Amino acid sequence: MQFGIFSVGDITMDPTTGRTPTEHERIKAITTIAKHAEDIGMDVFATGEHHNPPFYPSSPSTILAYIAAQTEKIILSTSTTLITTNDPVKIAEDFATLQHLADGRSDIVLGRGNMGAVYPWFGKNNQDSVELTVENYALLRRLWDEEVVNWEGKFRTPLRGFTSTPRPLDGVAPFVWHGAIRTPQVAEIAAYYGDGFFANNIFWPKEHYVQLINLYRERYAHYGHGTPEQAIVGLGGQFFIRKNSQDAVNEFRPYFDNAPVYGHGPSMEDFTSQTPLTVGSPAEMIEKTLAFRDYFGDYQRQLFLVDHAGLPLKTVLEQLDLFGSDVLPTLREEFAKNRPASVPEGPTFEARRAAAQAAALTQEVK
């Protein structure tokens, strides 16, 4: 299992002080948070992509490249790269470049995004979102897998004899996850290509995500990539923890109540009972997170949202320290218990490069 954090990159007023951080402060803070995630032993850091206020990460590959230069082990990912409005050629170039700079420890989560207003800013129509997803990913896959590409589609100008540069590191393209909150077609695409499927899993009840993940697992097997249990699944989650459960509840309540994503809606108690959000003690977080396996089966990657809703940097770092000391070791130990040997580990560049080299040797022998 790989554990990490992801950020949506919001710039939100701290409701306890009335102060809103600047863009500069949030951008610099997220690099501190990513480095701290590595320090406490996390495996993955991921950032979203947004092109509108109140968010800052319009260029996630730039942010991740900066973090790559200051870290050594942590896998750097997006939590959404907009496959609908970004040019597949630019995605191929940017994330192959990141892969080289990070010595392979990078991957990507592709998604449609959930803000329709973005589409016309990039010359697209949100009514075409599913078609754009299918066509753009087919092209992106070819740009990484083929040295020379000839392409003609519906949504961009044709390519003739085109080579995307730089080429993927050692011929191994970044690992691709397809992220979705509600779209079964995205699960189908992930299954068709044998890629990973990332269920955001932070807004809706578990039953909704069980359906999406089961669909992905079934179709993954249908396309001949392995058994349903061997499909590559990632989950989102959220937490706010303190040593004492009531302290966590009292401290987080004003942030929850004013958060732009879910503030002024269900009560915090209702939201925590119906979704993966944990507000409480480390023990409560461990219990809730371990239950994910009961619903979704063994999976490969668990990411948590921790830096949102106006929480100050000091508090976020305290959250990570407590997670690293009181939660992470137990989660690693418990998730490893009774895990079938046939279930794949979380994807890494080293393992995928070794598999590709072994496959090439086998082909040579034949």
Side-chain angles (χ1 to χ4, degrees), residues 1-3 43 299-302 332 335 339 345-346:
M1 274 283 285
Q2 296 170 341
F3 295 94
D43 306 297
Y299 60 109
Q300 283 69 34
R301 180 173 290 184
Q302 176 65 61
R332 288 201 189 280
F335 270 108
R339 186 181 180 93
E345 298 295 325

Side-chain angles (χ1 to χ4, degrees), residues 268-290:
M268 188 168 72
E269 286 73 15
D270 286 344
F271 202 84
T272 54
S273 68
Q274 296 168 12
T275 78
L277 173 64
T278 297
V279 181
S281 68
E284 288 172 313
M285 183 180 178
I286 290 168
E287 180 181 11
K288 190 164 190 174
T289 305
L290 290 177

